Amino acid sequence: MEEDLLTRTIIGLAIDVHTALGPGLLESAYKECLFYKIDKAGFQVEKEKIMPLHFEDVRLDCGYRIDILVEDRLVLELKSIERLTDIHLAQTLTYMKLGGYRFGLLINFNVLLLKEGIKRVVNGY
């Protein structure tokens, strides 16, 4: 599946979750529900994927984790906060860079309309 179609499909599933739950829950609730929906839709999906940091000749497990990784190519960074800031975008880009992933979605579920809480992210390497 091409990235644009994959991204649109995952956004649709996130909207389904948001429609059912609404804003105001913890990030972990949205993560579990979205993971379930993605898995149920038949996609290969990983939750809390560990992202090591390679520094000089050492692999460091610093606690970096991708919230959800879909089809080993789409990074999902989920939030449930008042508003997204540049630091959240930087966090998403860092995960993408560490894993060599080109596409990501930064999704804030704590909004009235989910489309206002979604940012598509492309890493140009």
Side-chain angles (χ1 to χ4, degrees):
M1 178 179 285
E2 78 174 59
E3 279 75 14
D4 189 52
L5 180 56
L6 176 62
T7 300
R8 283 187 278 127
T9 302
I10 299 305
I11 288 172
L13 294 173
I15 289 170
D16 290 347
V17 169
H18 188 265
T19 299
L21 300 177
L25 300 178
L26 294 174
E27 175 186 316
S28 58
Y30 298 111
K31 185 185 312 174
E32 291 299 325
C33 293
L34 185 55
F35 176 83
Y36 168 78
K37 291 284 284 184
I38 294 168
D39 185 55
K40 185 178 173 187
F43 292 100
Q44 187 261 326
V45 61
E46 296 176 74
K47 179 175 45 174
E48 296 292 326
K49 180 172 175 65
I50 295 172
M51 289 279 52
L53 174 64
H54 294 276
F55 178 73
E56 295 181 354
D57 295 332
V58 180
R59 174 190 159 130
L60 304 169
D61 292 320
C62 300
Y64 291 118
R65 294 177 188 267
I66 294 175
D67 286 335
I68 296 177
L69 182 65
V70 183
E71 295 291 316
D72 200 35
R73 65 182 185 213
L74 178 63
V75 172
L76 305 183
E77 181 59 27
L78 309 181
K79 301 293 180 194
S80 183
I81 54 180
E82 187 175 331
R83 67 179 180 86
L84 294 173
T85 65
D86 289 345
I87 197 71
H88 302 116
L89 179 59
Q91 179 184 19
T92 306
L93 284 166
T94 296
Y95 293 153
M96 292 167 65
K97 180 180 174 185
L98 289 175
Y101 304 111
R102 186 146 188 251
F103 299 97
L105 290 172
L106 174 57
I107 304 173
N108 181 17
F109 281 92
N110 196 32
V111 292
L112 291 178
L113 293 173
L114 191 61
K115 70 179 185 175
E116 296 172 0
I118 297 175
K119 290 191 182 293
R120 291 180 190 225
V121 184
V122 178
N123 182 5
Y125 299 119

